[in-house]
Amino acid sequence: MSQQTAGTDLRTSVPGDLPQTSNETMRENEKYHSAAAEKGIHIINIKAIEDIGYAQPETLLLNSLGGDQDAACKRGLCFRDGQRKVDYMLAYTYKKSTGSRTPSKRTFHNNSVHGSRSAKEDHQLPGGTADLESAETEPKMDYHEDDKRFRREEYEENLMETGLELERDEETKLHGVGFVKIHAPWNVLCREAEFMKLKMPTKKVYHINPAQGLMHKLNSVIQKISEPIQPKVADHQPPAVKHLSYPFSREKQHLFDMSDKESFFDSKTRSSIVYEILKRTTCTKAKYSMGITSLLANGVYSAAYPLHDGDYENDAEPNDRKLLSDEWASYGVFYKYQPIDLVRKYFGEKIALYFAWLGVYTQMLIPASVVGIIVFLYGCATVDENIPSMEMCDQRYNITMCPLCDKTCNYWKMSSACATARASHLFDNPATVFFSVFMALWAATFMEHWKRRQMRLNYRWDLTGFEEEQDHPRAEYEAKVLRKSLRKEQKRKEKLQPVPEDNTNKWRQTVKTAMAGVKLTEKEKLTWRDRFPAYLTNFIGIIFMVGLTFAIVFGVIVYRISTAAALAISSSPSARSNVRVTVTATAVIINLVVILILDEVYGCIARWLTQIEVPKTDKTFEERLIFKAFLLKFVNAYTPIFYVAFFKGRFVGRPGNYVYIFHSFRMEECAPGGCLMELCIQLSIIMLGKQLIQNNLFEIGIPKMKKLIRYIKSRRESYMDHEEHLKKKQRYEMDYNLEPFAGLTPEYMEMIIQFGFVTLFVASFPLAPLFALLNNIIEIRLDAKKFITELRRPVAVRAKDIGIWYNILRGIGKLAVIINAFVISFTSDFIPRLVYLYMYSPDGTMHGFVNHTLSYFNISDFKPATDPSAEEELGYKVVMCRYKDYREPPWSENKYDISKDFWAVLAARLAFVIVFQNLVMFMSDFVDWIIPDIPKDISEQIHREKVLMVEVFLKEEQGKLQMLETWKEHERKKSENFNNQSPKRTRSQRGSAASAYVYHMDV
């Protein structure tokens, strides 16, 4: 007998009371509906009159066990009976009032017999006589709260219909927060595991073929060497014996090892199964069809989360969370490998893949850092042998340079830029080209190495045949489809002739309209016309954000120009001598602050733009959000760097004919040693600042601050109720105070932006891999600590790859080749030095290179009021000044025109870009081709598993056939013996034999 039928039987057991109660209930319903309408609450889709009572359905509730058994529930990890595990938690907020009669603690059962309750107790609904008499004395009820409670009641009933077991607890230490514990029985777990096609280990085990010969010895040596850096967990080494896995089937339960049913489905699997049920279960009583995502979005439930295994402090009982805290989320084990298998067991495959990818990326940064350090040390060792920088520092040359600004700036000696020239050689030397080629091949090798590592993890985690299932529609999508359906239905009804109705049928008509609207949602879907306003808003919003970034960069350029002009006329000699360093450093700090602020703003804007698009599924929502956020943050982080690398000093003009931004502000010029040093300063400060402030301080400080605020708030509320303050918090109460899991997008995003810093402009900053390595060593433990201590336990999600992030990484790797080619060719002086060495050098050395790159200008050709107002500082009269460009001298026929040397250098630069790009692309594709995506041993093991699985099923079929043959032989002998003793059998005896045969055939 179902629960509703049982309740009906209880209500009809006292026929004399039914008509009166029904009429009173209807009057109360009308009263409630009119009051709710005044409040603006839209309550539709009510199935029956008796379903809108205010109290919980009494036929579904039993009092839970007493408080003396709290010790048996393992601090909230089990039901109050101490046996059934809590697989999932639903939390909601409620308002305690004297007029409400909400029971404090209840246990929901699926097959409960309530014979002890009387019919009078069952009829204590708000429509009863006692309620009508005391309606004026009781305080007004909060209809918003009642609306939420209606939906919770029906949703929890529907959950129990799926087989889940629920237990409610409102007497918690958290003021005004109630909890619903959910437990999935064995039959529900088996049913859902079969629906979800979960691969589970069978009884069949096989030995993994170990490496032979030299590889076996090499692996054993590596294992012995790496033993101290392995985490102290049980399964850190790849097992030699593996269970054969097969998608779970209730018909083939004999294939699986079910000796211990309690541990057959671990906590991660149990919570993911329950979450699938929560997503597809809906309620339609009090409003339109709503699943758990809609209920959370509308505030019916405030949180839904699985529980952590226990505490992680030193004195806690042993559990997976504590083991991960000790061996993974501790800064003291930064030198150890990550226990990826344990991370997967606790958090699921999707989060484990992120940490595995982060570990591979950090590991691959080690050789890149070593090579980068060697390149930097080579620059340090050869700085005194660099002829161009020695010539710039030699004061005997006495080269007078043209002023950096009009009128207020004076002429200056090139030897004053000696320090900048020497520092530029540290990053602008022949080894830089080699390092750029190396990093391009490094990026390709990293991607191939990750694909192979990912395939090994898929094999180890039984995900080789896994295919992502179609995701459930998002709550916002369903709500918009419903509104569209109701509008269409309303228009259709307006075309028909209105039929007059009396007041008694209005309620029923409202219910029918709502039910029809809900059914229409199955046929409707959103088209491009529905989304066109959102698409237009997205396009305009992104263009505006990109334009805002360009405007800010332009503002910083104006700041640099004006500050340089102001410092040039300063009375302090130190300020005048350090103009470039001061301007560059302060401008970069301004850029860093703006980037940090806009990163947070752009993240929120990208989410809002994606939300108004109303994507259908969570996967589509995540991909579109990632694309928008990456586009905006990429432009925000790299635009200042692109300006210094490719635009600064390119459109300056020449003395006497400068390019002006405003009336008196000229475009910036590069230093005599080139713009590469400024690019290095820009890149290093932005990269280090983002890592230190955004990736570390924000990740540590913001969760700590939120946790402190929640703690202070809970303490304040608990002090208001002394009895609640004396209670000991349960596990689900402590987890409720943790920060909800917001997804892996922010974690991936900061690493992808860092990957861009490491690869895109590595030619200007060889130490970028080293700083990224140091940051990631801290980042792994920081993220691990955040997942273990600061966040609620996320729902375990199956995944076999890192998704769209892999394509973004490949795109950045390809873009890095092009950008580095242009940085080496146009930003550094590598190509002009080669051209001078092989075309213009008189002695085959670099002597005279600096003089070759400087052009002459006659100061008499200055425009009026633009020449310097004072020349006394140099101590001699200036007739000619020099500037960095390839132009004809003033005594030439075509004075100040571009010289042929410029075209020779430009041709060499373009040729270098083409050769470098194609050569490196070819080498990267060759690395991609020569390294197989799937390791050979893994492909052999996968093939072997298929063969073994076929053998298992063949043996099973052979066993069935042998059993059948044995039984038939036994029956034949039995029949012969029976015929010899009694030749004639009755019809009933023959029928019994046939039934026995059919029975054994089924077996």
Side-chain angles (χ1 to χ4, degrees):
M1 180 183 297
S2 66
Q3 297 158 346
Q4 294 180 355
T5 307
T8 304
D9 293 342
L10 276 172
R11 284 192 292 270
T12 56
S13 61
V14 188
D17 295 338
L18 183 59
Q20 181 181 359
T21 307
S22 300
N23 294 332
E24 293 169 352
T25 306
M26 291 181 64
R27 288 196 298 271
E28 182 66 22
N29 290 336
E30 294 175 0
K31 174 184 176 183
Y32 174 78
H33 183 263
S34 61
E38 293 174 0
K39 294 284 185 179
I41 305 172
H42 185 206
I43 301 177
I44 60 175
N45 207 15
I46 299 178
K47 297 178 182 177
I49 295 298
E50 61 269 14
D51 287 339
I52 49 176
Y54 296 126
Q56 293 277 1
E58 300 292 347
T59 56
L60 297 174
L61 305 178
L62 277 180
N63 292 328
S64 62
L65 300 176
D68 56 345
Q69 298 197 18
D70 276 341
C73 67
K74 300 178 183 178
R75 295 289 304 280
L77 292 174
C78 296
F79 276 22
R80 301 183 69 83
D81 57 8
Q83 300 296 326
R84 291 172 292 175
K85 296 180 180 178
V86 176
D87 298 320
Y88 218 87
M89 289 299 303
L90 299 178
Y92 59 92
T93 57
Y94 65 94
K95 295 181 180 179
K96 293 184 178 180
S97 62
T98 56
S100 62
R101 299 181 295 102
T102 306
S104 60
K105 292 184 180 180
R106 304 165 203 158
T107 304
F108 297 78
H109 295 280
N110 292 340
N111 298 312
S112 303
V113 180
H114 307 277
S116 60
R117 291 190 178 273
S118 64
K120 185 177 292 187
E121 291 174 338
D122 188 62
H123 283 298
Q124 293 299 321
L125 298 173
T129 306
D131 289 331
L132 290 175
E133 292 176 355
S134 60
E136 297 179 358
T137 60
E138 290 186 355
K140 292 184 179 181
M141 303 186 70
D142 191 339
Y143 296 104
H144 290 281
E145 291 297 321
D146 291 331
D147 184 36
K148 293 178 181 179
R149 183 153 51 85
F150 291 151
R151 288 183 246 177
R152 286 198 297 267
E153 290 173 6
E154 186 199 0
Y155 185 69
E156 289 160 11
E157 291 177 24
N158 294 339
L159 288 179
M160 289 187 292
E161 290 179 1
T162 64
L164 297 178
E165 298 175 0
L166 311 180
E167 182 181 81
R168 175 174 290 148
D169 185 5
E170 289 184 356
E171 290 185 0
T172 63
K173 194 172 182 180
L174 299 178
H175 184 74
V177 180
F179 296 93
V180 178
K181 309 173 191 175
I182 302 178
H183 169 75
W186 173 257
N187 60 332
V188 175
L189 294 173
C190 294
R191 181 192 70 207
E192 297 298 325
E194 184 174 356
F195 291 166
M196 296 169 64
K197 300 178 181 178
L198 295 180
K199 274 191 173 184
M200 305 301 294
T202 63
K203 297 177 182 177
K204 176 68 176 177
V205 297
Y206 67 97
H207 292 270
I208 299 176
N209 294 331
Q212 302 294 333
L214 181 61
M215 289 301 298
H216 176 69
K217 295 180 180 179
L218 184 62
N219 290 336
S220 61
V221 171
I222 293 175
Q223 288 181 4
K224 290 180 180 179
I225 295 175
S226 63
E227 188 64 30
I229 60 176
Q230 294 289 350
K232 296 180 181 179
V233 295
D235 52 354
H236 71 270
Q237 293 291 348
V241 178
K242 189 176 185 297
H243 283 268
L244 195 64
S245 297
Y246 185 74
F248 186 81
S249 173
R250 287 173 290 180
E251 296 180 355
K252 301 184 182 298
Q253 290 191 26
H254 57 278
L255 294 177
F256 303 94
D257 184 11
M258 295 187 178
S259 56
D260 186 8
K261 290 187 177 181
E262 291 296 325
S263 61
F264 184 74
F265 295 106
D266 56 11
S267 60
K268 165 186 69 74
T269 306
R270 296 174 71 99
S271 63
S272 61
I273 287 175
V274 174
Y275 182 65
E276 285 296 320
I277 299 176
L278 292 176
K279 283 200 298 185
R280 71 166 183 260
T281 304
T282 59
C283 64
T284 58
K285 178 189 295 184
K287 211 167 185 181
Y288 57 85
S289 177
M290 303 177 72
I292 186 60
T293 53
S294 300
L295 295 173
L296 289 170
N298 286 271
V300 179
Y301 291 101
S302 57
Y305 54 93
L307 295 180
H308 282 290
D309 280 356
D311 293 328
Y312 60 88
E313 285 83 6
N314 294 328
D315 56 348
E317 296 181 0
N319 56 72
D320 287 343
R321 188 187 186 192
K322 177 174 171 50
L323 185 59
L324 284 172
S325 177
D326 295 338
E327 296 296 326
W328 181 51
S330 174
Y331 296 109
V333 294
F334 72 92
Y335 59 92
K336 290 187 177 182
Y337 286 106
Q338 300 181 84
I340 292 298
D341 291 328
L342 187 59
V343 175
R344 176 248 180 179
K345 178 186 175 184
Y346 194 78
F347 290 111
E349 287 80 5
K350 190 171 185 178
I351 293 177
L353 279 174
Y354 162 71
F355 282 102
W357 173 83
L358 184 56
V360 171
Y361 172 47
T362 305
Q363 188 178 8
M364 288 292 293
L365 282 173
I366 296 175
S369 303
V370 172
V371 177
I373 293 173
I374 293 174
V375 171
F376 179 75
L377 293 178
Y378 171 81
C380 295
T382 58
V383 66
D384 294 330
E385 302 174 3
N386 184 37
I387 296 177
S389 62
M390 292 173 61
E391 289 182 350
M392 290 183 65
C393 295
D394 193 349
Q395 297 185 3
R396 293 175 299 176
Y397 282 90
N398 196 26
I399 298 178
T400 304
M401 303 297 294
C402 295
L404 298 175
C405 61
D406 292 343
K407 195 173 183 179
T408 56
C409 297
N410 201 355
Y411 302 103
W412 55 285
K413 292 185 178 181
M414 190 179 64
S415 59
S416 62
C418 174
T420 305
R422 290 175 62 87
S424 296
H425 179 73
L426 302 179
F427 307 99
D428 187 7
N429 52 68
T432 303
V433 181
F434 161 75
F435 189 57
S436 299
V437 176
F438 171 80
M439 288 303 295
L441 299 179
W442 173 88
T445 307
F446 163 60
M447 301 304 296
E448 292 303 313
H449 178 45
W450 165 245
K451 283 195 292 186
R452 291 170 63 85
R453 170 68 170 164
Q454 185 175 259
M455 197 62 206
R456 289 187 181 277
L457 293 177
N458 285 340
Y459 166 72
R460 192 190 306 174
W461 297 344
D462 298 319
L463 294 172
T464 50
F466 169 72
E467 294 182 0
E468 293 185 1
E469 301 174 359
Q470 186 176 2
D471 203 355
H472 298 278
R474 298 176 65 248
E476 293 80 1
Y477 179 84
E478 290 182 336
K480 191 163 185 177
V481 169
L482 176 65
R483 289 195 293 269
K484 179 181 178 182
S485 305
L486 292 178
R487 284 197 302 268
K488 282 191 174 183
E489 183 69 11
Q490 186 65 25
K491 290 180 181 179
R492 187 185 66 82
K493 288 186 176 182
E494 289 177 355
K495 293 180 181 179
L496 301 176
Q497 291 295 333
V499 179
E501 292 183 310
D502 54 349
N503 293 332
T504 57
N505 292 330
K506 284 185 178 180
W507 180 264
R508 184 174 299 175
Q509 186 63 30
T510 303
V511 173
K512 290 181 179 179
T513 302
M515 294 292 288
V518 172
K519 291 178 181 178
L520 283 173
T521 58
E522 301 176 359
K523 302 178 182 179
E524 290 291 340
K525 63 179 182 179
L526 299 182
T527 62
W528 69 270
R529 293 182 179 179
D530 300 320
R531 291 194 173 102
F532 180 75
Y535 289 153
L536 184 61
T537 305
N538 272 258
F539 178 77
I540 296 175
I542 291 175
I543 294 298
F544 175 77
M545 292 298 112
V546 173
L548 176 64
T549 303
F550 290 162
I552 292 175
V553 172
F554 180 75
V556 175
I557 294 172
V558 174
Y559 162 80
R560 294 164 66 107
I561 295 173
S562 58
T563 306
L567 291 177
I569 61 175
S570 174
S571 59
S572 173
S574 61
R576 292 196 303 270
S577 61
N578 298 315
V579 170
R580 293 187 181 276
V581 176
T582 304
V583 171
T584 301
T586 55
V588 172
I589 293 174
I590 294 174
N591 276 327
L592 174 62
V593 174
V594 171
I595 287 172
L596 295 179
I597 295 174
L598 288 185
D599 258 358
E600 302 300 323
V601 175
Y602 285 170
C604 298
I605 291 176
R607 180 170 292 275
W608 176 74
L609 291 176
T610 310
Q611 287 174 346
I612 64 175
E613 283 188 40
V614 196
K616 184 174 182 180
T617 63
D618 287 330
K619 182 180 179 181
T620 308
F621 179 86
E622 185 179 10
E623 289 180 350
R624 294 185 181 184
L625 173 62
I626 290 171
F627 175 75
K628 294 182 183 66
F630 174 74
L631 177 62
L632 293 176
K633 293 189 177 185
F634 182 90
V635 172
N636 181 42
Y638 297 119
T639 299
I641 303 174
F642 271 98
Y643 164 73
V644 175
F646 302 120
F647 295 97
K648 184 179 179 181
R650 308 296 172 193
F651 311 101
V652 177
R654 62 170 179 82
N657 189 25
Y658 283 114
V659 177
Y660 293 89
I661 298 179
F662 296 115
H663 178 67
S664 59
F665 291 108
R666 286 169 18 193
M667 289 292 293
E668 288 186 286
E669 299 182 39
C670 287
C675 281
L676 198 68
M677 185 60 197
E678 294 186 37
L679 177 61
C680 175
I681 296 174
Q682 186 101 8
L683 180 64
S684 60
I685 293 180
I686 291 179
M687 179 181 176
L688 296 179
K690 277 182 64 68
Q691 290 182 351
L692 181 63
I693 299 175
Q694 189 176 40
N695 297 0
N696 294 330
L697 293 183
F698 282 6
E699 286 194 12
I700 296 174
I702 292 178
K704 291 284 186 184
M705 188 179 301
K706 290 182 178 179
K707 187 177 181 180
L708 179 62
I709 293 173
R710 287 194 300 268
Y711 174 75
I712 295 174
K713 185 177 179 182
S714 63
R715 292 270 296 186
R716 183 183 303 169
E717 293 176 347
S718 62
Y719 275 124
M720 295 172 62
D721 194 333
H722 184 65
E723 293 182 359
E724 291 183 354
H725 178 64
L726 294 177
K727 295 177 185 175
K728 196 173 184 180
K729 279 191 176 182
Q730 303 292 324
R731 175 79 267 150
Y732 49 84
E733 296 177 87
M734 291 187 285
D735 286 2
Y736 181 78
N737 285 329
L738 297 177
E739 187 75 12
F741 175 64
L744 290 171
T745 300
E747 314 298 335
Y748 273 113
M749 187 66 69
E750 64 186 50
M751 289 295 105
I752 296 297
I753 296 296
Q754 184 204 81
F755 182 79
F757 283 125
V758 170
T759 55
L760 291 179
F761 298 95
V762 73
S764 63
F765 190 40
L767 296 179
L770 174 63
F771 289 111
L773 173 64
L774 298 177
N775 174 81
N776 288 3
I777 292 175
I778 302 174
E779 181 73 20
I780 291 176
R781 308 303 165 180
L782 179 64
D783 285 346
K785 199 171 187 64
K786 181 173 65 174
F787 273 82
I788 292 295
T789 63
E790 304 292 340
L791 299 179
R792 294 175 190 160
R793 187 176 181 180
V795 181
V797 179
R798 289 186 298 169
K800 63 179 181 179
D801 52 36
I802 60 175
I804 192 176
W805 298 110
Y806 181 81
N807 298 328
I808 294 177
L809 285 170
R810 285 188 64 88
I812 292 177
K814 299 294 184 183
L815 183 63
V817 177
I818 302 173
I819 290 180
N820 280 301
F822 278 94
V823 167
I824 295 172
S825 181
F826 287 90
T827 308
S828 73
D829 284 338
F830 177 74
I831 299 301
R833 289 172 184 171
L834 287 182
V835 172
Y836 176 80
L837 184 64
Y838 293 106
M839 292 182 62
Y840 299 105
S841 176
D843 54 358
T845 64
M846 292 301 296
H847 288 287
F849 170 74
V850 174
N851 186 63
H852 178 75
T853 59
L854 298 177
S855 299
Y856 289 90
F857 178 75
N858 193 335
I859 64 172
S860 62
D861 294 330
F862 272 122
K863 290 183 178 180
T866 61
D867 55 327
S869 57
E871 303 178 5
E872 294 80 9
E873 294 183 5
L874 296 178
Y876 56 87
K877 184 175 179 60
V878 178
V879 179
M880 292 283 181
C881 65
R882 309 292 295 273
Y883 61 97
K884 189 176 177 64
D885 203 349
Y886 292 101
R887 290 183 180 271
E888 297 289 342
W891 55 81
S892 174
E893 294 181 0
N894 302 316
K895 65 176 183 178
Y896 306 134
D897 286 348
I898 295 175
S899 64
K900 62 179 182 179
D901 299 342
F902 171 84
W903 300 112
V905 172
L906 179 62
R909 282 173 167 170
L910 294 176
F912 176 83
V913 169
I914 296 173
V915 173
F916 182 89
Q917 176 182 336
N918 287 278
L919 178 63
V920 175
M921 287 285 190
F922 170 76
M923 296 172 67
S924 300
D925 292 339
F926 179 75
V927 171
D928 191 358
W929 172 75
I930 201 173
I931 301 177
D933 295 345
I934 304 177
K936 185 178 180 181
D937 58 331
I938 296 298
S939 60
E940 292 176 354
Q941 296 293 347
I942 293 174
H943 177 70
R944 187 183 176 194
E945 279 194 2
K946 293 180 180 179
V947 174
L948 290 175
M949 186 56 66
V950 172
E951 292 179 358
V952 168
F953 283 109
L954 287 178
K955 288 182 180 179
E956 184 183 1
E957 294 298 325
Q958 291 175 359
K960 290 180 180 179
L961 291 175
Q962 291 177 0
M963 184 188 303
L964 181 60
E965 293 294 333
T966 303
W967 177 82
K968 288 172 66 176
E969 183 66 22
H970 176 71
E971 287 295 324
R972 186 180 61 79
K973 292 181 180 179
K974 184 177 178 181
S975 177
E976 290 178 356
N977 295 335
F978 185 74
N979 288 334
N980 292 335
Q981 295 176 5
S982 177
K984 295 182 180 180
R985 289 184 295 173
T986 63
R987 181 179 298 177
S988 62
Q989 290 172 335
R990 291 195 298 270
S992 300
S995 299
Y997 176 76
V998 173
Y999 171 75
H1000 283 285
M1001 285 293 290
D1002 292 338
V1003 173

